[in-house]
Amino acid sequence: MLLIACPWCGPRDEAEFHYGGQAHVAYPEDPAALSDEEWARYLFFRDNPEGLFAERWSHTAGCRRWFNAVRDTATNEIHAVYRAGEPRPVIA
Amino acid sequence: MSERSERTGGAAAQPHRREGASGRVLRFRFDGREYEGLEGDTLASALLANGVRAVASSIRLGRPRGVYAAGSEEPNALVQIEEPFPEPMLQATTVELYDGLVATGLPGQGRLADRPDPARYDAVHAHCDVLVVGAGPAGIAAAGVAARAGARVILADERPEPGGSLLGTAETLDGRPGREWAAEEVAALAALPEVRVLRRTTVLGHYDDNHVIAVERRTNHLGAAAPADVARERVWRIRAGRVVLATGGHERFVAFAGNDLPGVMLAGAARTYANHYRVLPGRRAVVFTTNDSAYAAALDLADAGVEIAAIADVRQAPGEAWAARCAERGLEVLTGHVVTAAKGEGEVSSVEVASREGGQAREIPADLLLVSGGWTPVVHLFSQAGGTLRYDEELGAFTPGETRQAVEAAGFARGVRTLRACLEDGAEAGRRALAAAGFAVPAGPAVPSGTAVPSAGEEPAAAPAEHLWLVEAPGDGGDYGTHFVDLQRDVTVGEVLRAVGAGLTSVEHVKRYTTAGTAHDQGKTSGLLTGGVVAHALGVDVAELGTTTFRAPYTPVSFAALAGRDRGPLHDPVRVTAMHEWHVARGALFENVGQWKRPWYYPRRGEGPGEDPGEDMEAAVLRECRAAREDVAAMDASTLGKIDVVGPDAAVLLDRLYTNMMSTLKVGSIRYGVMCRPDGMVFDDGTVIRLADDRFLVTTTTGNAAAVLDWMEEWLQTEWPDLRVCCTSVTEQWATVALVGPRSREVLARLAPGLAVDNDSFPFMTWRDAEVAGIEARVCRISFSGELAYEINVSSWSGLALWEAVMASGEVTPYGTETMHVLRAEKGFPIVGQDTDGTVTPQDLGMEWIVSKKKADFVGKRSFARADTSRPDRKHLVGLLPEDPGVLLPEGAHLVETSALPEPPVPTLGFVTSSYRSAALGRTFALALVSGGRERVGERLYAPVGADLVPVTVTSHVLYDPEGARRDG
Ligand SMILES: [Zn+2]
């Protein structure tokens, strides 16, 4: 079980969190302006890298806040956590 | 204490017990026979003391098997405890003996208990700076250094007493028995305020971020004397700053003919039985070794009175000091020799020894064959934690390599050989752990003064081991059919060679092909041996092959322990409404909806025994439906999800999440709404009540309440943080009574004399605050049945009082969820999650009208313009009338076009989602999702049910009162 550092509450057991998939996939500004393919890309396509991945987590059994984390999908190491709306930090 | 407590185990009762052994006598039964053992015994040591050789039989070949090891690595001696409580698949070597124990040997697999387990199991979360796994020399040293500097330390060990290898070797520290040193040192540590010592606690799994799971066996060893109020086992969920794995090693054996016969035993195990348990596992022994460690075992057994017939050492040169000691004692050492076979009927009676150079084999009579194929560090947890392993040439085994977790191995677990070196290594690990945890590391000597690690006894310099995995045996007929590599799975060298011959060259593949290493013991003694034999067959180095993956749990764990308190009524939270006790008293049957208990239906009870059996479900539901349609009925609707949505932008949020317009809703009014996912599929539905310009009360389906709140939060926090809105769950703050039927207005008027209930004053889809039965209430004119209906909401505290007031006159019929389902289905109202499955749009449900054309955007809107959502063959919600009005279709039944089934695959048009008997229609009916369903109204389709094809007619999904004439009473 991961130990995840909620930016609001500090380190807590993974069991307190819900996973929210890839981060920084914004709801399109004007969905009506998108082609079917562009809309389908927003709906159905997500990255699945081996390595660093910016993803969303929600501290559902804690402060109930959404935040983002950069996790290495190969090692499970979390390199950064940051609040929703903040830019993805650069990981050296 | 038994009245025989003063007696010591006599030679007659326990013929293999060493002279001078003392302790309380314990009586037990094994395989139907009575035996005596001594306090401190395991079942294995007690059986050996009684001369019991064959303890179990093997799983595939049914060969007799005896005790092979002395700890949790035991592959052979599997037993089942029968009394005091049945427990399957235990190792006799880890079952502590107690008075009244009844056990049987197993043929490789056990039987589940045939009665409920009355014991309690629980779980604890714990945090520490340093977790030390293993209370042998290295672990005690590590824990000592860390604990005395003030760190929070947990020291866990699987055995009942600390000491690890010291218990079996009888080594001395500062001239004292190592066992004494360990006991005193651990007692001193346990007295420190920040230290927790967990005995009988096996660390099973090592997960991410040093999350470690251990199971403590608290009362198993007490048998029938176990206090009922203490948990039998406790799961420890430990989050450790740093972990020191001082898990020691397992001895491994060598593959030779008959290496599974009772009487063949690991040399170190035999040493433990002689030294620690005061038991002689045989009278006359041959020792077969690849390394020096077995010499110490041979000498200890000789001291204990076992005749050592010969020591066959595969090497030309054993350690000089050991050779000298053997010479002193007159023990014959056969260098460059191997054991080619253990022989005997059901147990060892002789051992065949031959020179590796060839020549005549020699058969030596013996009842015990001690084997040492070398020692394997216990790296399971290190590997589980994500650490890499590297091959140690000298050791002939894998040791810990790199890891990114804050974990390190110490002592023999990382290949450190001697006792003194293990103590020092443990202390070093303790210092590193302290530094990592931010404590001042004690300066100066290796260990704090006054608590110095005692200087270990002199250990003879070691000669290198030779790594021999397999004794080639042309005399065996060449099939290697009794050269076992995995005793528990009955896997032989013959099978490994067949696997390799079939082209499998990885140990992982050989493992799967042969099942070697997959048993209960997880290949503790066999894993490396299997690899060695594969390497031998392929002519490669073991180092190149690597190991199979180590997985949790390290030793088997009972489901009861993992379940802990989360079983029976505590398995899942049970939610009940304020009116629950009334429903129970009225004899309602309940349905689980999410975690809620909802009244399902209220059967009329029979009048007396025999005469009148009362109502069955069908009769009760038809009666309740009739009351709601023709008279007046009430349902406890408190479980509907309720969310307070408050703030200046509340209307904006709801406009974006619902498919229809909510901002135009007037204060005092109510609107039905549907929410979709961005893909356009229906997610939830419910009503929205506008309480003020900036305040709405949203209701959700019972099962989706939490998901809808999460959904709102997710959008607010991640997409629209600029919206000033707060969402709060108020589901449990309100109790709700749905009052339904043509006479509901009349009943409400009586209960709420101050409320104008006529249709003009209180029209459909509006709400009013009023006093109902003297209780402050909010009354909504909402109908989920098509009838004139009200939902009366009061504070939960007043829920029961309101319900009792509604029921007081006796004219209102209580109804449950089944009737609610029938009533709404007759009207074609879908239930999200029953008539939808995440692939259904509002248009599919025939609810085009709920999808706003005016709003620029809302969640899901763009998807309604996708080609896929306007396909003409999409499944639509329709009604079905079986041609035989008495036939009830099963929900889930498929629908086909033809009256005879074609060859498979049979094209299906859709399936039944809801199916009921209707009092109002006087027949059965169903709702279904049918491809192009709206275009098929009037068509005949067929539902395959068992061997029959049931003909049905497709109709509109609204079967009752399609004009909506009944809504206003
Ligand atoms: Zn938090």
Side-chain angles (χ1 to χ4, degrees), chain A residues 5-10 12 16-17 58-60 62-65 67:
Chain A
C6 170
W8 305 93
C9 307
R12 295 287 189 278
E16 294 184 14
F17 297 84
S58 170
H59 193 187
T60 37
C63 65
R64 298 186 60 78
R65 298 257 206 167
F67 61 92

Side-chain angles (χ1 to χ4, degrees), chain B residues 562-639:
Chain B
L562 292 179
R565 303 297 303 277
D566 300 335
R567 59 178 183 165
L570 298 180
H571 175 60
D572 199 35
V574 172
R575 303 172 78 185
V576 298
T577 71
M579 297 78 127
H580 188 73
E581 59 185 77
W582 190 96
H583 307 317
V584 172
R586 174 61 179 72
L589 278 85
F590 289 88
E591 181 182 23
N592 294 327
V593 183
Q595 292 165 333
W596 288 101
K597 295 276 175 211
R598 297 197 68 179
W600 190 16
Y601 60 98
Y602 300 79
R604 193 175 47 75
R605 276 174 282 206
E607 295 301 323
E611 298 295 305
D612 173 9
E615 278 178 330
D616 62 7
M617 176 169 172
E618 190 180 316
V621 171
L622 287 173
R623 175 180 51 76
E624 290 173 11
C625 285
R626 212 170 286 122
R629 291 268 184 243
E630 296 168 12
D631 192 22
V632 57
M635 181 183 70
D636 178 355
S638 307
T639 64

